Amino acid sequence: MSTFFEDAAAYKALVDVLRVLLTGDSAASVVTEGGTKPSISKFLADNLRDYVRAAGDRQGFANKTIMDANLNFDGGVLVEVTNDATDENNGLWRKEGVTGQGYWVKARTDKYTYLQGQFDDMALLVQSELEKINVHQYDPATKLADDNGVPKAYSVNDEQGFAAFLIDMLGRLEINGMQFERQVDANPLELLDESGRLAMAIGSLGELMMGCVSVLQTDANPYPLSVADELNRVIFALGRRGQVVLPGVDIEVVDDVPNYIFVLRDVLGRVAFAIDKNGCVTFRAAPEMGESSSGQPVAAVGEIIPADDMQFFSYGQSLSRGATAYPVVSLEQSFNNVTFSGGVLSRDGGAYDLTGFKPLVEEQLGAEGETPTSGALNEISARMGSDYTDNNFRFIGSAPGRGGRAIDQLNKGSEYYQYLIEHVQSASDVCQGEGRSHNLQCVFWTQGEANYSSSNFLEMDVYERKLSELHHDISLDAQLITGQKFMPVFISYQVAAHRRYGNDYPEIAMAQLNASHNNEQIYVACPMYFAEYGGDNLHLTSEGSLWLGKYYGKAYHHVVNLGQDWRPVQPKSVTAQGKIIEVLFHMPQGGRLEFDTAWVAAAPNMGFDIYDGLRGSMQDIIVSVELSGPNRVRIVLGVVPDSGARLTYAHGRAGDPGEASRLTGPRGNLRDNAGDNDHYTDSNGVERLMHNWCVMFDEVLSN
């Protein structure tokens, strides 16, 4: 492949050939690939020379009068008038008729002198115009540099000296101030403005990038064409049905929704705006949001209301069912909470008794023990206080999931999903028999580890979508049974086991956090890096499972009973100013931030790291991390980070032990001090502090 300099030299050589052909004198010629070529002047002179030689012995007359008086010439003879007072009488004349008779006619071929003069004038004009363009090669003694001081290897300048086209000594092409630059380690081709800012680029995957937006088509992307931001979130797309896709909305002309020709739907397929076949516009309120694209009903969204009996699920994989968390510790029921007669770990009606209730306590079943169920429901009851007892509320809890299952194996269509729906139906039947109202309030989602395995791995956008679909499906199926007009809330943990499965980037943890930001009914109770794991550094101890349940209960209480938009400690803003990064944090219960290295072993930089891009390489440039206010952290860097750099927290580092552990796993040391007033004593007499630990995050740095 030729370089810019080789191309410039070839272009210069072609211009030099053109200059000789156009402006060279009657003796000039040039050697080309097709042989030796004369200048236009030489070509004309050579061809006219033969004609001049042919007429070289012709007779001359001083004026036309003398010529007209002499007809003693054969027909066709040429003579020349040289000094007539009338200029147009001078030139070649041709004899017409026989000797002694006839007349003289001015020869039309006598224009060679005139044409030569006209061509000379044209040559001067071309030369002048070429000088205005000023095509030249870099000469350090006479030629200018570009605006940034970089010498030009080659340029085409206008008559005022402005370079309309240039190639500098770094091999960059510039046209009217716009720079085109090939990159080796970044984008194959970049277009920069006059200030060096990236205006457009062709990425390594063939995507077209404009600023922080990319246009890309890939096999993994569900859309034929999409525009994504720097986090690879789709902000505009053209769908396979011909629809226009905006964040959370499909806009399309349809034939699958009865009576409508145009609809605007959300991500769950609910029709918010439609035009019917009569041209009428329809808006639909949230509780009656129409039909999905398949013609099926969709879940209603409304205010969460209480019932006599309120149902909760601990659903997911092994941690949802207390794997290895034994002996159990929740052996007494201090409130009115119940589970099925078959126990918390009941699954299907064929093997477990779902026909009645008994007090909610935990029971070991094989290798499964203390689930988060009792911890969550009893925590909610305690925080409600008299509101719980005065209303004679009763909470129903069970854990119908299955260990080691990926999200696809728990979503609608799986046997475990069906067990969950059977639990809703069975609870409804029992409550009806007792004359008590019933609804489904909440699902505590405890799953994610299995989707880090190579066979079930999901990228964060895909996992987030599947989690939203699961939430919608459970909501709809529960509404069809209970008649409730609201979606139950989903409260998740933030899994911290990515390195346990050999992954450097926490895809599922980020998906769970993103889901809590993008779906108003999904919440994250707490990250799991501070949890109390057992000896396998993957499953929780009995007290650790109870503790997780209490965090679930705490989040539910803030969301439903207190009506708050619950979020654990996480960034509200991240601002980079040169080498200084300031992070302002959301504080769910007020108070102040602290670095805790007593419970969680000190991580490098308290868990903060700088990466050169999303899922990129770590840049070891952090000099210090300190608390700069009750809700602020200041990070000082050794150098100014590159454009596109990212600040991460609690991701761990490549080469760290493959464990989920507060001592050796991916972790961070930042929390609030809520536990100073929010705590309990476990079964061993140990005081457990309900601090809110900062979630794992990944934030792009912005000025």
Side-chain angles (χ1 to χ4, degrees):
M1 180 181 293
S2 63
T3 66
F4 282 125
F5 298 105
E6 291 171 343
D7 291 340
Y11 184 54
K12 176 62 167 57
L14 291 175
V15 172
D16 289 341
V17 169
L18 176 62
R19 189 190 298 274
V20 171
L21 293 176
L22 291 175
T23 66
D25 59 26
S26 60
S29 61
V30 65
V31 178
T32 69
E33 293 181 357
T36 301
K37 302 292 183 181
S39 68
I40 294 177
S41 295
K42 187 175 188 302
F43 175 82
L44 289 174
D46 289 346
N47 283 275
L48 289 173
R49 187 176 296 115
D50 292 337
Y51 170 75
V52 171
R53 288 172 179 171
D57 55 353
R58 68 180 178 271
Q59 184 170 337
F61 294 97
N63 56 56
K64 184 175 181 296
T65 300
I66 298 174
M67 178 189 70
D68 289 339
N70 189 351
L71 297 177
N72 295 319
F73 292 90
D74 295 334
V77 172
L78 293 174
V79 299
E80 184 174 10
V81 176
T82 60
N83 297 94
D84 197 285
T86 302
D87 186 65
E88 63 183 18
N89 290 336
N90 293 314
L92 290 177
W93 293 80
R94 184 177 185 275
K95 175 67 168 49
E96 296 291 338
V98 298
T99 302
Q101 300 179 20
Y103 55 91
W104 295 98
V105 178
K106 187 70 177 290
R108 294 182 180 180
T109 55
D110 187 51
K111 296 294 184 180
Y112 76 94
T113 303
Y114 171 77
L115 291 174
Q116 181 67 55
Q118 290 294 311
F119 181 77
D120 289 342
D121 291 341
M122 183 183 71
L124 291 175
L125 178 61
V126 170
Q127 177 69 25
S128 174
E129 293 303 316
L130 286 176
E131 290 300 327
K132 289 180 181 179
I133 296 175
N134 190 15
V135 179
H136 59 75
Q137 221 170 354
Y138 174 66
D139 180 353
T142 61
K143 302 304 182 291
L144 301 176
D146 65 13
D147 292 340
N148 297 318
V150 178
K152 294 177 291 187
Y154 181 80
S155 70
V156 178
N157 298 350
D158 64 17
E159 58 185 341
Q160 296 184 12
F162 294 107
F165 172 94
L166 69 83
I167 300 172
D168 66 22
M169 299 299 287
L170 300 179
R172 295 179 301 190
L173 171 65
E174 182 176 312
I175 301 177
N176 286 334
M178 301 301 291
Q179 298 178 9
F180 295 83
E181 183 171 3
R182 287 188 178 276
Q183 300 289 334
V184 177
D185 298 324
N187 304 313
L189 181 64
E190 293 185 344
L191 173 60
L192 310 177
D193 66 11
E194 293 178 323
S195 299
R197 294 171 298 195
L198 180 65
M200 185 172 69
I202 303 297
S204 58
L205 299 178
E207 72 272 26
L208 173 64
M209 292 180 288
M210 292 168 284
C212 62
V213 174
S214 64
V215 180
L216 174 67
Q217 180 179 2
T218 66
D219 293 338
N221 194 308
Y223 305 112
L225 179 65
S226 66
V227 177
D229 65 10
E230 57 189 355
L231 295 178
N232 291 324
R233 296 176 297 196
V234 173
I235 59 178
F236 174 85
L238 299 179
R240 300 188 185 280
R241 302 191 307 273
Q243 79 274 29
V244 174
V245 181
L246 300 175
V249 177
D250 278 10
I251 304 173
E252 62 180 310
V253 177
V254 298
D255 55 12
D256 64 335
V257 178
N259 302 318
Y260 291 97
I261 59 173
F262 177 86
V263 298
L264 188 151
R265 293 188 277 222
D266 68 7
V267 290
L268 299 178
R270 296 173 299 196
V271 177
F273 171 89
I275 300 175
D276 66 21
K277 294 180 179 179
N278 296 319
C280 296
V281 175
T282 301
F283 294 89
R284 295 188 176 182
E288 295 89 24
M289 285 291 281
E291 296 179 330
S292 71
S293 58
S294 62
Q296 298 299 314
V298 297
V301 180
E303 180 183 358
I304 299 172
I305 61 173
D308 295 330
D309 292 335
M310 292 177 273
Q311 193 166 9
F312 298 78
F313 286 110
S314 174
Y315 190 53
Q317 55 183 112
S318 57
L319 270 66
S320 75
R321 287 180 60 87
T324 75
Y326 52 81
V328 297
V329 293
S330 297
L331 300 174
E332 296 181 357
Q333 178 51 237
S334 302
F335 303 96
N336 197 30
N337 300 328
V338 297
T339 187
F340 289 104
S341 298
V344 175
L345 294 169
S346 297
R347 268 200 282 259
D348 64 295
Y352 299 93
D353 185 358
L354 303 180
T355 62
F357 297 143
K358 68 178 182 180
L360 173 60
V361 294
E362 299 290 322
E363 300 174 274
Q364 183 175 344
L365 181 63
E368 297 174 323
E370 182 85 18
T371 76
T373 311
S374 292
L377 273 58
N378 294 338
E379 183 70 15
I380 298 168
S381 304
R383 289 178 183 264
M384 290 182 68
S386 60
D387 284 344
Y388 178 88
T389 55
D390 291 349
N391 286 282
N392 193 29
F393 287 145
R394 184 170 64 176
F395 297 156
I396 307 165
S398 59
R402 180 61 184 268
R405 296 303 188 266
I407 191 170
D408 284 332
Q409 298 168 306
L410 296 167
N411 274 5
K412 188 167 185 173
S414 70
E415 59 180 313
Y416 306 106
Y417 180 92
Q418 188 57 38
Y419 295 159
L420 182 146
I421 300 305
E422 288 177 3
H423 282 207
V424 179
Q425 184 64 63
S426 297
S428 178
D429 293 342
V430 175
C431 294
Q432 284 289 306
E434 296 181 0
R436 292 172 62 86
S437 61
H438 160 260
N439 60 35
L440 176 60
Q441 288 278 311
C442 181
V443 175
F444 303 120
W445 178 245
T446 314
Q447 190 279 337
E449 292 89 350
N451 285 110
Y452 278 128
S453 68
S454 57
S455 58
N456 296 311
F457 179 80
L458 293 178
E459 293 186 349
M460 56 183 173
D461 289 348
V462 179
Y463 184 93
E464 180 187 350
R465 174 173 56 81
K466 291 180 179 292
L467 183 58
S468 293
E469 290 172 352
L470 175 62
H471 174 230
H472 171 261
D473 290 337
I474 291 177
S475 300
L476 174 58
D477 287 339
Q479 289 172 8
L480 295 175
I481 295 171
T482 68
Q484 65 191 70
K485 299 299 182 183
F486 63 88
M487 302 178 84
V489 296
F490 252 47
I491 298 179
S492 176
Y493 67 179
Q494 189 189 37
V495 63
H498 54 285
R499 295 198 179 276
R500 181 69 163 71
Y501 290 86
N503 295 282
D504 288 335
Y505 192 80
E507 297 277 349
I508 308 305
M510 294 298 100
Q512 292 164 338
L513 182 62
N514 290 342
S516 73
H517 293 164
N518 299 328
N519 189 314
E520 62 180 11
Q521 299 285 32
I522 297 179
Y523 301 87
V524 169
C526 60
M528 290 298 288
Y529 62 80
F530 79 95
E532 185 174 281
Y533 288 95
D536 64 356
N537 289 316
L538 182 62
H539 296 96
L540 302 175
T541 65
S542 299
E543 290 292 352
S545 186
L546 174 65
W547 200 11
L548 173 60
K550 286 182 173 289
Y551 273 98
Y552 284 152
K554 175 181 179 178
Y556 172 89
H557 178 68
H558 279 265
V559 170
V560 178
N561 298 331
L562 301 182
Q564 299 175 353
D565 183 17
W566 168 265
R567 298 188 182 196
V569 174
Q570 56 189 284
K572 291 177 64 176
S573 66
V574 177
T575 304
Q577 298 177 334
K579 299 179 184 179
I580 308 299
I581 300 173
E582 284 280 357
V583 187
L584 181 67
F585 284 89
H586 168 72
M587 306 292 286
Q589 294 179 272
R592 66 179 185 278
L593 293 174
E594 295 183 358
F595 287 128
D596 186 337
T597 58
W599 177 253
V600 175
N605 304 320
M606 299 289 103
F608 293 94
D609 277 311
I610 301 294
Y611 281 78
D612 59 10
L614 184 65
R615 304 180 186 87
S617 300
M618 192 198 76
Q619 308 296 297
D620 193 10
I621 58 176
I622 294 180
V623 175
S624 65
V625 177
E626 60 184 9
L627 301 175
S628 54
N631 62 343
R632 293 190 303 132
V633 171
R634 179 185 300 118
I635 301 169
V636 179
L637 309 179
V639 297
V640 176
D642 294 335
S643 174
R646 308 181 74 88
L647 175 67
T648 68
Y649 174 78
H651 287 202
R653 297 180 171 188
D656 284 353
E659 300 174 350
S661 166
R662 62 188 175 90
L663 302 178
T664 58
R667 62 196 186 277
N669 301 97
L670 183 65
R671 61 164 174 79
D672 67 11
N673 67 329
D676 292 353
N677 299 308
D678 190 357
H679 49 80
Y680 71 97
T681 302
D682 68 15
S683 62
N684 297 316
V686 176
E687 187 177 40
R688 298 274 178 166
L689 307 178
M690 298 288 289
H691 298 306
N692 298 301
W693 291 79
C694 180
V695 296
M696 304 162 68
F697 65 78
D698 181 345
E699 295 281 343
V700 64
L701 296 180
S702 60
N703 294 321

